[in-house]
Amino acid sequence: VQLQASGGGLVQAGGSLRLSCAASGGTFSSYGMGWFRQVPGKERRFVATISRSGGGTLYADSVKGRFTISRDNAKNTVYLQMSSLKPEDTGVYYCAATGRLVGSSAREYNYWGQGTQVTVSS
């Protein structure tokens, strides 16, 4: 499956952004989906994951209550709504697909998008 992330940009602290990830070439509803963040010199860190049907979600503690992951299986798209953004949310955000129900480790994911840059200014 191919993944294309979009929606990143520059935003002030306290602002909001919505990331999208469009999937093609596979049966989207058969994959758990996740979002990860990476900053230079660091490993990709888990942000959020959603189950195949969308009924189950899991978040990193650092984003709970501020970020919401959702998916539209009819549109083959997963979203990450980010609110109350902080400078520490800055990084390249990657969407990924796993054959598991959900996944909170990068090792559990088989397919990755190209990433979209999010920069939060203070």
Side-chain angles (χ1 to χ4, degrees):
V1 61
Q2 292 79 48
L3 303 173
Q4 181 76 35
S6 61
L10 174 64
V11 63
Q12 289 188 334
S16 299
L17 279 175
R18 189 176 81 155
L19 306 184
S20 299
C21 176
S24 60
T27 304
F28 181 68
S29 59
S30 67
Y31 294 99
M33 298 297 296
W35 287 96
F36 289 77
R37 176 174 65 235
Q38 188 170 27
V39 298
K42 298 289 183 66
E43 293 184 351
R44 290 182 187 180
R45 298 286 297 272
F46 168 72
V47 175
T49 183
I50 189 166
S51 64
R52 298 164 188 159
S53 67
T57 58
L58 184 66
Y59 296 91
D61 287 344
S62 60
V63 307
K64 280 181 183 176
R66 299 189 299 120
F67 290 11
T68 302
I69 188 171
S70 62
R71 67 189 296 163
D72 185 337
N73 286 345
K75 294 183 178 180
N76 291 348
T77 303
V78 62
Y79 304 97
L80 186 67
Q81 178 67 49
M82 305 186 294
S83 302
S84 301
L85 282 161
K86 303 176 182 181
E88 51 263 44
D89 296 320
T90 293
V92 178
Y93 282 72
Y94 294 89
C95 62
T98 176
R100 297 172 180 259
L101 183 62
V102 292
S104 59
S105 168
R107 293 188 299 273
E108 296 174 294
Y109 287 80
N110 311 100
Y111 305 98
W112 293 85
Q114 87 289 359
T116 185
Q117 176 71 44
V118 172
T119 303
V120 183
S121 63
S122 57

